Amino acid sequence: MDDLMLSLLPLTTTVEEGERDSRVALLPVGSLEQHGPHLPLITDTVIACVLARELARAHPVRLLPPLTISCSHEHTAWPGTVSISARTLHAMVADIAASLGDTRLVLVNGHGGNHVLANVVQESRGAMALFPQAHEWEAARGAAGMATDNDTDMHAGELETSVLLHTYPHLVRSGRADHVTGPRDHLPTLGLASYTATGVVGRPSLATADKGRRLLAALVEDLTGHLTALDPAADQAHDDHRRSGQPRHQRQQPIDD
């Protein structure tokens, strides 16, 4: 577990960050909430960190450590779930952004219930971006060859299980039982337990490591548009980054298959 935690955290020194002088930083935002019987409570944090790590390998950006508890109130019926208020999450992200000075901030969000993050980005007046958005998750599903969509595979399903099978397969327990619901029109009011007894909404039985790999690869390419929106100079920086290769201090161990 120690190796897992270290692999999810940036290990650069202040000297190395000064040499990089990045114009954009990535903040992974996860959660601590139930993910059915087969995935750990930290699933959203792992996915946000893994995605941010891959983005930082491909783009000239600074990688920040994650926020590991967020707005998971719809999951409170299950043991282990911990939440903070939307007001607290808003304040934490705003404070982090302010401390970065002129550095722009991309919120790499791994939990769909963090609706307030879109408001934080709106209020930033061009200084923040939210990634991935729903349409980007959907497009990445298609690129990965997944059979499900965002609505039918909302939680602990094909997508999330595939990413963990690709990156940290030892975190995936047995008992990957599918559970597909009808419309969940009153989810914010009633919570997820009104629609699933297991906590799963989706098809984890369809998950494969290769789908997880292909999904992450598709998302890495999608970040370029957000970097351009945040900083028009990012296109040139990205091209220079790809031609010259990453600085030694930015290289990390490859993701385990």
Side-chain angles (χ1 to χ4, degrees):
M1 186 60 72
D2 288 344
D3 290 341
L4 167 63
M5 296 310 299
L6 285 177
S7 71
L8 297 179
L9 296 173
L11 301 177
T12 52
T13 67
T14 185
V15 172
E16 291 164 343
E17 289 298 346
E19 290 173 350
R20 192 202 317 269
D21 192 27
S22 301
R23 301 165 67 97
V24 177
L26 307 180
L27 177 65
V29 184
S31 71
L32 187 66
E33 64 184 38
Q34 71 82 22
H35 274 78
H38 68 288
L39 296 181
L41 295 163
I42 61 169
T43 292
D44 290 342
T45 298
V46 171
I47 291 174
C49 288
V50 164
L51 176 55
R53 187 175 66 193
E54 292 302 289
L55 294 170
R57 286 174 175 163
H59 301 276
V61 295
R62 176 182 176 186
L63 183 59
L64 302 177
L67 299 181
T68 59
I69 297 177
S70 59
C71 302
S72 301
H73 304 86
E74 69 272 29
H75 298 277
T76 54
W78 286 273
T81 299
V82 179
S83 294
I84 57 176
S85 71
R87 294 182 300 277
T88 298
L89 182 57
H90 185 295
M92 291 175 67
V93 171
D95 284 354
I96 291 169
S99 77
L100 291 172
D102 293 333
T103 300
R104 306 294 177 142
L105 184 63
V106 178
L107 308 179
V108 182
N109 183 37
H111 173 47
N114 290 332
H115 308 293
V116 70
L117 295 182
N119 298 122
V120 182
V121 171
Q122 287 175 323
E123 294 168 8
S124 75
R125 298 181 179 273
M128 293 189 213
L130 180 62
F131 181 79
Q133 298 180 46
H135 67 280
E136 289 158 334
W137 283 117
E138 202 72 84
R141 283 179 182 271
M146 293 187 180
T148 57
D149 56 29
N150 288 347
D151 181 61
T152 59
D153 195 65
M154 184 194 84
H155 193 69
E158 182 181 23
L159 187 153
E160 292 184 315
T161 307
S162 291
V163 174
L164 264 65
L165 284 174
H166 167 53
T167 54
Y168 299 101
H170 63 284
L171 296 182
V172 181
R173 278 72 158 180
S174 59
R176 285 190 266 161
D178 297 345
H179 181 79
V180 180
T181 75
R184 300 177 298 278
D185 297 337
H186 305 290
L187 175 59
T189 301
L190 300 177
L192 194 63
S194 295
Y195 301 95
T196 169
T198 64
V200 174
V201 176
R203 303 285 303 280
S205 67
L206 301 178
T208 68
D210 185 60
K211 290 177 182 178
R213 178 188 61 80
R214 292 163 64 188
L215 178 121
L216 289 174
L219 290 172
V220 166
E221 292 301 317
D222 281 346
L223 183 67
T224 302
H226 291 277
L227 296 179
T228 302
L230 284 171
D231 180 4
D235 269 346
Q236 184 61 47
H238 183 219
D239 289 342
D240 294 344
H241 181 71
R242 296 182 70 173
R243 283 195 295 267
S244 64
Q246 294 169 321
R248 180 177 298 275
H249 64 264
Q250 196 167 351
R251 298 176 190 151
Q252 301 183 33
Q253 292 299 315
I255 290 177
D256 297 329
D257 287 321

